[in-house]
Amino acid sequence: MSGAAGIPVRAVVFDLDGTLADTERLSDRAWAEVLARRGYTATPEDFAALVGRPVAANLAHFAARVELGDPVGFRAEVRAAFLGLVAVDLRLHDDAVGALRTLAGEGVAVGVATSSTREHADRVLAAGGLTGVVAAVVAAEDVARHKPDPAPYREALRRLGVAADRAAAVEDTSVGAASARAAGAWTVAVRRAHATPDLADHADVVVEVLDAAVLRHRPARGPA
């Protein structure tokens, strides 16, 4: 929502994977490759159930379906496979990067809240030339509770020094949107290829292409 009737937004917190970076497909491929070595064929339903979740949730999900072996070694295999794919095929979403840069240029504080590691977040932001643009990054190591818990967004807004009723968030999953909305942020979801049917149930607005205009103001009455 935009216009004079809305409250100007002072901070916008972006999700990373899927929202800013087109990495969900790379993550799925990495997990599928490593699981195949153990005789398990991962399905679209497996990955749909894990969109937006931290690595620990993925491990628990697949450990209930196939013997993973040493969890540390398994995770290292997945990480190596993922990094190999990232090295040759990392892409960022132009619409989200453009909106982020536009808002930052207008003086809006910009942050990132992700369930991925800080190392990964730093890598993606560097690839997009966003390291000096994003003022606060909250990664998996920074909070004890992860999405859909509101902790990641609350911490990001704390670091940005902006109250939730003056903030917006951008997400691409129902898990992430639920987290942002529970934190009190005006929540805009951008529909990506992996979006689940319930995305609109957890966001205030769903858009097909992200534009800074939808993030500049939030309704005076806040999220429903």
Side-chain angles (χ1 to χ4, degrees):
M1 176 177 178
S2 61
I7 297 173
V9 165
R10 293 178 49 217
V12 178
V13 181
F14 288 75
D15 169 58
L16 187 74
D17 295 293
T19 299
L20 278 171
D22 183 18
T23 49
E24 295 288 2
R25 62 191 172 84
L26 303 182
S27 177
D28 289 356
R29 283 171 58 189
W31 280 86
E33 287 177 12
V34 178
L35 288 163
R37 297 170 195 164
R38 287 158 174 78
Y40 183 80
T41 301
T43 67
E45 290 74 23
D46 283 322
F47 293 122
L50 295 170
V51 170
R53 303 282 184 175
V55 171
N58 295 25
L59 287 169
H61 176 89
F62 289 116
R65 289 157 175 79
V66 64
E67 176 58 50
L68 301 182
D70 171 40
V72 175
F74 179 87
R75 184 169 179 174
E77 279 187 63
V78 174
R79 181 174 180 275
F82 178 70
L83 290 177
L85 293 169
V86 166
V88 298
D89 198 19
L90 176 60
R91 308 171 196 167
L92 275 72
H93 289 294
D94 291 340
D95 60 342
V97 172
L100 187 156
R101 288 187 174 280
T102 296
L103 292 165
E106 295 171 354
V108 176
V110 174
V112 163
T114 178
S115 296
S116 294
T117 64
R118 176 166 295 278
E119 178 185 16
H120 174 64
D122 289 345
R123 182 185 302 111
V124 170
L125 294 178
L130 299 173
T131 302
V133 181
V134 174
V137 176
V138 174
E141 304 95 321
D142 298 319
V143 288
R145 298 181 303 279
H146 302 94
K147 302 174 185 179
D149 191 276
Y153 280 95
R154 286 177 176 163
E155 177 62 14
L157 292 175
R158 185 192 70 78
R159 294 183 183 190
L160 291 173
V162 176
D165 62 1
R166 294 295 183 272
V170 187
E171 272 285 353
D172 67 305
T173 69
S174 57
V175 170
S179 170
R181 208 175 188 193
W186 168 249
T187 303
V188 175
V190 56
R191 195 183 303 279
R192 303 298 192 198
H194 56 268
T196 53
D198 63 342
L199 183 62
D201 296 336
H202 299 281
D204 296 296
V205 175
V206 178
V207 298
E208 301 301 320
V209 178
L210 189 64
D211 187 274
V214 76
L215 294 164
R216 290 191 178 103
H217 295 80
R218 58 177 291 167
R221 296 175 66 181

